[in-house]
């Protein structure tokens, strides 16, 4: 029985890891990584910095998804982020992934 529980925990961990990798792959496919990286500021802020800024903000996923979809300017400096060609579902997946980074 103990090994069954451990197997389920391992499977759950792999599924979570798989989702995170899929969401990072989506960020790469949508060219987000041209201006952002996980841990280092490039043209835009590092995703870990974005996650830290919005930590504890219950509305952060929706706020970031809207910015990903429509673009934005002024929160992280004067360089604008252009609108991105993503569906609302993709924008929400990307926002959720960014906010999960620590």
């Amino acid at each position: 029985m103990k090994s069954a529980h451990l197997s389920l925990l391992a499977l759950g961990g792999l599924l979570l890891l798989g989702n995170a990798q899929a969401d990072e792959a989506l960020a790469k496919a949508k060219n987000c990584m041209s201006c952002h990286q996980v841990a280092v500021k490039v043209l835009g802020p590092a995703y870990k910095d974005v996650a830290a800024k919005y930590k504890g903000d219950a509305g952060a996923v929706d706020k970031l998804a809207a910015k990903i979809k429509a673009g934005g300017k002024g929160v992280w400096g004067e360089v604008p982020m252009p609108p991105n060609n993503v569906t609302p579902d993709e924008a929400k997946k990307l926002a959720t992934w960014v906010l999960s980074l620590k």
Side-chain angles (χ1 to χ4, degrees):
M1 189 70 153
K2 186 176 182 180
S3 66
H5 285 124
L6 291 176
S7 295
L8 286 174
L9 287 172
L11 178 60
L14 288 174
L15 289 174
L16 288 174
L17 180 60
N19 286 340
Q21 289 175 337
D23 296 338
E24 184 173 358
L26 178 61
K28 289 177 181 175
K30 296 297 181 174
N31 294 320
C32 304
M33 304 300 263
S34 297
C35 296
H36 300 276
Q37 293 295 314
V38 171
V40 179
K41 179 187 182 325
V42 184
L43 187 58
Y47 287 140
K48 288 184 177 189
D49 293 339
V50 175
K53 180 179 183 101
Y54 289 96
K55 184 178 180 178
D57 182 342
V61 170
D62 291 333
K63 287 178 194 175
L64 290 179
K67 286 184 183 194
I68 290 167
K69 181 89 175 122
K73 180 181 176 188
V75 175
W76 294 94
E78 292 303 310
V79 177
M81 182 175 79
N84 290 278
N85 185 20
V86 295
T87 66
D89 184 52
E90 289 171 331
K92 198 164 198 164
K93 283 181 183 179
L94 289 166
T96 300
W97 172 68
V98 168
L99 292 170
S100 75
L101 300 170
K102 297 185 176 27

